[in-house]
Amino acid sequence: MALANNKTKCFTCNEKKITYCCEGCSKRFCLIHLTEHRQILNKEFKRLINDCEQFKQRINKPKQNRQYLQNQLLIKQIDQWERNSIEKIKQKAQETRKIVLDSSELFINEIQMKFNDLSQQIKHMEKENEFNEINLEYLRNQLKEITEELNNSSNISIKEDSQSFVNEISIISSKKSKFNEWIPNGIAVAGGNGQGQKLNQLYNPNGIFLDKNKNIFIVDCFNHRIVEWKYNAKEGQIIAGENKQGIRMNQLTYPTDVIFDQQNHSIIIADQGNRRVIQWLNHNQQILIHSNISCLGLAMDKYGFLYVSDHIKNEVRRWKMGEYKSEGIVVAGGNGEGNKLNQLHGPGFISIDNDQSIYVSDCGNHRVMKWRKDQNEGTIVAGGNGQGANLNQLSSPKGVIIDNLGQIYVADMWNNRVMRWCEEKEEGELIVGGNGEGNQSNQLFCPYGLSFDDEGNLYVAEARNHRITKFEIIL
C-alpha cells in the first residue's frame, strides 16, 4: 500500500518535504526550518523586551527624557515672562507711588499757603484792632473752606485699566481637546402632546431656564403663561399668567424669555406683548421695567445686573439691581439697525459670561455678536456670512448659551439645528438636529431656547413641535 503524498514546498528551502504551518505568518516550513523560524521569532521577541526595558529606564531617568528637556525650556520661558512682568509692574508701581507722593506734597503746600495767608490777615486785624461782624464772617468762611479742602484730601484716585500692559501668557497644546457630544436622538421631557393649552401641552415655547433640581421654567408664548415642569413630571403647572392674555398685573401677553432670580427665588419675565419686564414672586407681581421697551431676551450676570435686549431699538441695556426706574445703560448696539460691528438688527436671546461679556443672537444679521464690557463695538463669533445652511452660516439664530470653556451654542432656527462655535473659528459644528424639520427624535422644528443641566445634558425648546427636548450627553 502506497504512502499518501502530503509533501509541500518549504518556504525557506523551497523543497518538497513534510511541512508545518506557522499560525502567525501562515507560511509552511520543514521541521528544520520551522525550528530556525521559531528561533528568529524568539530573538525578535527578546529584542522587543530589551527595547521596552530601555524605554522604561528612559522614563525613570526624566533628565534624559526629551519631554523633560522640552518642559524645562518652557518653564524657563515662563520664568523669564514672570521676571519681565514683575519688573514692569514694579516700575509702574514706583512711578505711580511717586505721582501720589508728589501730588500729596503739592496739595499740602497749597493748603499751607492758604492757611498762612489767612493767619496773616488775622494777625493784622488783631494788631490794628480793626474788625467787625463782616470781617469775622469772612475769616470764618475762609477757615471753613480750608478745613473742608483738607478733610477731602482724596483729590486723586486709582484707575485700573482693563487693557493689561503686561503681555498675557497661555499654553497652546497640539493635542485636540475632547469636546462634549450628545446622543442625536432626543427625549421629549415637556410638552410633545400637540399644540394646546392643557397642562401636558405647550403652544410655541420660547425661552427656557433650568434650576439646580432640573425643574424647567418654560415660556409658553402663545398660551401667554410661564409653566414649571418638575423633573420627570407628566405635566406642568402654571406659575405665571394663568389669567389668559391681557395687560393686567396678573396677565402676560406673548412672553418670550424667563430667568430665575436665585437671591429671592422669583422669576423675571420678558413680557414682550405688554412691552415690560415683570417679576413674579409667589403670585405677587412687580413691574421692573416699563419704559417703552420691546423686550425679547433676558440675562443676569453673577453680580446681579439685569440685561434686556430690545429688538425694535436694536440694543441691549443693563440695569443695576434695585435701580430699574432708571433708563439703564446701553451695553450693545444702540446705533440704529444695521450690520456694522457697532450695530444690531433684531437682537434676541442673550447670554453673559464671567467677564460680563455679552453674547447676543443678532437674528436679522444671521450672526451672534460678542460685546466685551465697556466696548463700543462687538465682534462676530458665529455666522456673519449671510443667511444659509453651510457650517459658517446661520439662519435667524435664537437661543445662545456659553459653556465653561467659552464655547458658544446657538439655536439655528430655520436650519432646525443646534450649532457649536469656538471663538475665532471660521465655521461651526453641528451638535443636534440638522435632519430637516420634523418631529422625529433626531429632528428639530424651529429651535428657540437652549439650556444645560448640571450634568451637561442639553435642552432645546422647539417652537413648532411644541415640546422641550432633552439630548443626553455622551460620557
Side-chain angles (χ1 to χ4, degrees), residues 397-413:
K398 295 298 181 183
V400 55
I401 49 178
I402 314 300
D403 69 9
N404 55 7
L405 297 176
Q407 299 171 116
I408 305 150
Y409 295 79
V410 187
D412 192 8
M413 185 178 70

Side-chain angles (χ1 to χ4, degrees), residues 243-400:
N243 300 294
K244 299 183 179 181
Q245 176 184 357
I247 63 173
R248 297 198 307 270
M249 286 284 287
N250 62 352
Q251 293 179 306
L252 300 171
T253 299
Y254 296 107
T256 52
D257 204 2
V258 63
I259 54 177
F260 183 69
D261 188 349
Q262 306 280 357
Q263 287 195 347
N264 54 24
H265 299 283
S266 67
I267 57 172
I268 300 174
I269 305 165
D271 190 11
Q272 180 197 205
N274 288 322
R275 301 173 69 82
R276 65 189 183 188
V277 176
I278 190 167
Q279 182 182 50
W280 285 59
L281 175 60
N282 297 328
H283 295 278
N284 295 317
Q285 303 84 35
Q286 176 187 359
I287 295 175
L288 300 182
I289 303 168
H290 195 179
S291 55
N292 194 31
I293 184 168
S294 300
C295 51
L296 200 154
L298 297 176
M300 184 174 285
D301 66 22
K302 62 181 180 180
Y303 302 106
F305 286 93
L306 179 65
Y307 298 75
V308 185
S309 66
D310 189 318
H311 66 101
I312 299 298
K313 294 180 182 177
N314 297 293
E315 65 185 20
V316 178
R317 285 182 180 263
R318 182 181 68 204
W319 276 266
K320 188 176 181 180
M321 185 183 296
E323 297 183 4
Y324 299 120
K325 291 183 179 180
S326 69
E327 293 184 355
I329 300 172
V330 176
V331 290
N335 297 295
E337 177 186 308
N339 61 5
K340 295 179 181 177
L341 293 179
N342 67 342
Q343 293 179 307
L344 297 170
H345 182 189
F349 291 88
I350 48 181
S351 185
I352 315 296
D353 67 14
N354 287 330
D355 297 324
Q356 292 182 292
S357 294
I358 304 155
Y359 296 78
V360 52
S361 55
D362 193 9
C363 186
N365 285 323
H366 311 291
R367 67 188 185 185
V368 175
M369 299 292 290
K370 176 181 179 180
W371 238 275
R372 295 186 184 274
K373 185 181 179 183
D374 300 327
Q375 296 298 303
N376 295 323
E377 62 180 34
T379 56
I380 302 171
V381 292
N385 297 294
Q387 182 177 13
N390 294 326
L391 291 179
N392 67 342
Q393 294 178 305
L394 297 170
S395 183
S396 297
K398 295 298 181 183
V400 55

Side-chain angles (χ1 to χ4, degrees), residues 50-228:
N50 184 58
D51 290 344
C52 288
E53 185 62 29
Q54 289 181 9
F55 186 80
K56 179 181 177 181
Q57 292 175 5
R58 186 178 171 189
I59 293 176
N60 292 335
K61 294 180 180 179
K63 291 188 178 181
Q64 297 178 5
N65 192 330
R66 182 180 176 186
Q67 182 64 45
Y68 173 83
L69 297 175
Q70 183 180 2
N71 287 346
Q72 289 299 104
L73 180 61
L74 292 174
I75 294 297
K76 286 182 180 179
Q77 288 182 255
I78 295 170
D79 291 343
Q80 186 61 48
W81 169 85
E82 181 183 27
R83 288 192 292 270
N84 292 343
S85 299
I86 291 173
E87 190 58 38
K88 283 184 179 181
I89 292 171
K90 285 182 176 179
Q91 183 178 351
K92 188 67 176 178
Q94 187 61 31
E95 292 172 357
T96 310
R97 287 191 197 97
K98 188 174 185 305
I99 293 172
V100 169
L101 295 174
D102 290 347
S103 298
S104 178
E105 184 178 355
L106 180 62
F107 173 75
I108 294 296
N109 289 340
E110 289 178 353
I111 294 290
Q112 188 69 50
M113 290 174 60
K114 291 179 181 179
F115 180 71
N116 290 341
D117 183 59
L118 177 62
S119 297
Q120 290 297 325
Q121 294 181 59
I122 293 173
K123 287 180 181 179
H124 177 75
M125 289 184 183
E126 183 182 21
K127 181 179 180 181
E128 299 296 332
N129 199 24
E130 293 180 355
F131 54 87
N132 54 32
E133 288 83 358
I134 296 175
N135 300 134
L136 288 173
E137 184 65 23
Y138 169 77
L139 293 173
R140 284 195 192 95
N141 288 335
Q142 287 292 102
L143 181 60
K144 183 180 179 182
E145 288 180 9
I146 296 172
T147 303
E148 288 179 352
E149 191 173 351
L150 181 62
N151 291 337
N152 299 322
S153 58
S154 300
N155 59 331
I156 58 173
S157 60
I158 297 296
K159 176 186 176 183
E160 294 189 32
D161 196 340
S162 59
Q163 300 297 322
S164 174
F165 70 95
V166 176
N167 294 331
E168 291 188 6
I169 188 172
S170 60
I171 299 297
I172 301 173
S173 175
S174 59
K175 288 187 177 181
K176 183 179 179 182
S177 60
K178 185 181 185 306
F179 294 137
N180 290 335
E181 295 180 358
W182 289 264
I183 296 174
N185 296 88
I187 306 166
V189 292
N193 298 299
Q195 167 191 320
Q197 57 184 0
K198 295 178 181 178
L199 291 179
N200 70 340
Q201 293 180 307
L202 299 170
Y203 188 6
N204 214 82
N206 277 208
I208 53 175
F209 187 96
L210 262 76
D211 68 12
K212 60 183 180 181
N213 297 318
K214 296 187 179 66
N215 301 320
I216 313 171
F217 295 85
I218 306 168
V219 180
D220 195 7
C221 181
F222 282 18
N223 280 327
H224 315 287
R225 66 190 185 186
I226 307 298
V227 178
E228 181 182 4

Side-chain angles (χ1 to χ4, degrees), residues 13-29:
C13 63
N14 204 28
E15 294 182 4
K16 280 193 173 185
K17 296 182 178 180
I18 297 175
T19 57
Y20 306 88
C21 181
C22 173
E23 292 185 2
C25 63
S26 299
K27 295 172 184 175
R28 301 190 71 86
F29 299 90

Side-chain angles (χ1 to χ4, degrees), residues 449-467:
L450 299 177
S451 189
F452 287 116
D453 64 21
D454 56 3
E455 295 176 355
N457 300 308
L458 175 64
Y459 295 73
V460 184
E462 297 183 66
R464 297 291 179 87
N465 276 332
H466 314 291
R467 69 187 183 189

